[in-house]
Amino acid sequence: MDREFITPEDLDVFERLDAWPETMDDGSRLLTFSYPSGEHLTFAYSPLGRSIRLRWTNSTGATVLDMFRESATELIIRADPEKKYLVTRFDMGECSGELRVQTHPTVTITDRLLL
């Protein structure tokens, strides 16, 4: 069963995360975050492809995490004055899960898949 990948409007992303999603040639959106520590985080999401790609590099440019996942069903932004998150939900039939990426004030990633 194919499901739609529900994503927020670009303006909502900007207002809640202070980052404007860049539109790529294939229609996917790319968010880029840079930190005073020299770390960088990129988060791309494709509503049409129902996928996300997360890349986190440290201050030397070395990759800390490079993740690609399909079967995304929903992208939610959670923001308050102290912390900001991108929460992506997935449904792969036999298992489902949630990827929570804290983008502010520091990077924290929590990934849960349930069978």
Side-chain angles (χ1 to χ4, degrees), residues 16 77-85 104:
R16 303 195 72 203
I77 300 169
R78 297 219 169 106
D80 63 45
E82 295 171 10
K83 294 182 180 180
K84 297 177 182 182
Y85 294 92
H104 178 81

Side-chain angles (χ1 to χ4, degrees), residues 6-9 18 20 23 30 41 47 52 70 78-79 96 104 109:
I6 300 166
T7 60
E9 297 291 326
D18 297 323
W20 187 264
T23 303
L30 176 66
L41 181 73
I52 63 100
E70 295 179 310
R78 297 219 169 106
S96 61
H104 178 81
I109 298 169

Side-chain angles (χ1 to χ4, degrees), residues 43-103:
F43 182 87
Y45 56 100
S46 172
L48 184 60
R50 295 186 54 223
S51 62
I52 63 100
R53 172 127 192 239
L54 174 65
R55 189 159 193 260
W56 178 14
T57 57
N58 67 17
S59 59
T60 66
T63 300
V64 176
L65 177 70
D66 191 351
M67 173 190 287
F68 175 80
R69 185 165 294 156
E70 295 179 310
S71 301
T73 59
E74 186 175 17
L75 176 62
I76 303 163
I77 300 169
R78 297 219 169 106
D80 63 45
E82 295 171 10
K83 294 182 180 180
K84 297 177 182 182
Y85 294 92
L86 290 160
V87 179
T88 310
R89 294 188 176 143
F90 300 89
D91 185 354
M92 293 160 258
E94 67 279 351
C95 63
S96 61
E98 182 177 278
L99 175 68
R100 181 180 298 252
V101 180
Q102 180 179 305
T103 62

Side-chain angles (χ1 to χ4, degrees), residues 6-17:
I6 300 166
T7 60
E9 297 291 326
D10 290 349
L11 184 58
D12 189 38
V13 173
F14 175 72
E15 288 174 345
R16 303 195 72 203
L17 294 179

